[in-house]
Amino acid sequence: MKHLLSISDLHRDSAISLLNLAVEMQQVNSRDVKKLPALNGRTVANLFFEDSTRTRFSFELAAKRLSADVVNFTAKGSSVSKGESLKDTVQTIEAMGVEALIVRHHHSGAANTIANSAWSKSAVINAGDGTHEHPTQGLLDALTIRQRLKGTSDKGDLSGLRVLIAGDILHSRVARSNLLLLRLLGAKVGIVGPATLVPDDARILADFVYFNFDEALSDNFDVVMMLRMQRERMNSAFIPNETEYSTLWGLSESRFNLLSTDTLIMHPGPMNRGLEISSAAADSPQSAILDQVANGVAVRMAVLYKLLAQETSLK
Ligand code: NCD
């Protein structure tokens, strides 16, 4: 069975060809009739054990634009609150004829568990597992960077570009998927955050590691990708308090004003405005935040198309 669980399911050429397919999907999304018949008669389930706005909506729109039937499951309000296990939940949904599962779960490895189990036959797409990975977010970020900085006609990789990922790296599956994918595509990636929130695995992967935000920002990165401070995953005191966090690690208006006007500002959302990012940065012409959201639909159409319509492995 074909799955997308991690960026390590891709190699450089397959990642580029997925991005190129996403560009074709953007063209579909710009038409009045935003629909392809590719997945007519197929059924996709969104299995969300954790909250989501962007990711769930965009997977749903992506599947619908390919003409699939879509069912949505959210743990809140389901039999999970009566104690039903992951295995029983998946088997119950598959018994109704679902062929693809889009899984978001608070446990790292949940999507892998389903994909590698004997009790599920579905194609599985990881839509964010704990602090581990969020591969479609990595892909939509790569597409956004490629188009905003290399031009919409570019079909290549990200070589020559420098990306800074800033903030709560430890709890961020977005950071992990981006580190893997942006480097696979030839970009140089720096990370910066308080030492308590910069884990060893990210330090090993990154090309540059900083523990001072102003020092990192003065190194002329092409992209500054801010991360949400993920309070819901913090089980101990990683930072003294929010005021200090925003003072030291926030992309404030004054920090933003020091950047070159060519620096691209990104954030996967949801944003904590005034904490890790100021409205001056988020709402500026340099911000690609809404492009990221729009590109999410196209990238997810490309992934669903490859896995379900072409039934080809992504590698
Ligand atoms: C991210 C996530 O859920 O991992 N959001 C998203 O999918 N766009 C980032 C976050 O929650 O901070």
Side-chain angles (χ1 to χ4, degrees), residues 67-268:
S67 305
D69 292 322
V70 185
V71 282
N72 286 302
F73 164 94
T74 42
K76 272 180 213 146
S78 77
S79 291
V80 170
S81 46
K82 300 180 187 167
E84 191 158 45
S85 69
L86 181 64
K87 173 179 169 182
D88 286 332
T89 303
V90 167
Q91 285 192 313
T92 300
I93 289 168
E94 282 188 13
M96 299 184 209
V98 167
E99 297 139 271
L101 301 175
I102 294 154
V103 180
R104 166 164 290 195
H105 203 285
H106 41 276
H107 285 308
S108 300
N112 296 59
T113 300
I114 299 170
N116 297 321
S117 72
W119 38 265
S120 168
K121 295 180 196 61
S122 296
V124 179
I125 300 175
N126 181 6
D129 62 327
T131 60
H132 175 229
E133 274 215 53
H134 192 354
T136 56
Q137 180 75 38
L139 286 162
L140 72 89
D141 288 335
L143 179 63
T144 304
I145 295 170
R146 190 173 88 170
Q147 291 189 323
R148 285 284 296 250
L149 297 183
K150 295 195 134 191
T152 45
S153 61
D154 189 272
K155 296 220 177 299
D157 63 10
L158 302 179
S159 52
L161 294 177
R162 288 159 42 83
V163 181
L164 179 68
I165 305 179
D168 181 2
I169 314 265
L170 175 67
H171 299 102
S172 178
R173 50 203 180 201
V174 174
R176 209 151 275 104
S177 287
N178 265 297
L179 262 166
L180 292 170
L181 181 61
L182 301 181
R183 294 194 72 254
L184 185 68
L185 294 174
K188 295 271 184 242
V189 183
I191 55 173
V192 59
T196 47
L197 294 178
V198 181
D200 287 345
D201 66 328
R203 295 185 198 197
I204 292 166
L205 283 174
D207 297 290
F208 319 102
V209 183
Y210 305 84
F211 300 103
N212 179 305
F213 195 25
D214 295 303
E215 185 193 332
L217 289 176
S218 68
D219 263 357
N220 295 321
F221 282 91
D222 301 295
V223 180
V224 176
M225 184 183 291
M226 300 305 302
L227 299 173
R228 185 172 65 88
M229 201 189 77
Q230 301 183 36
R231 278 173 283 213
E232 79 279 16
R233 299 191 204 285
M234 294 194 186
N235 51 12
S236 64
F238 288 96
I239 55 159
N241 58 60
E242 290 188 358
T243 312
E244 182 172 321
Y245 187 88
S246 80
T247 307
L248 293 176
W249 306 104
L251 188 59
S252 59
E253 184 162 5
S254 54
R255 283 200 176 100
F256 170 68
N257 286 335
L258 290 175
L259 296 175
S260 146
T261 51
D262 295 331
T263 312
L264 199 64
I265 307 298
M266 299 176 73
H267 191 302

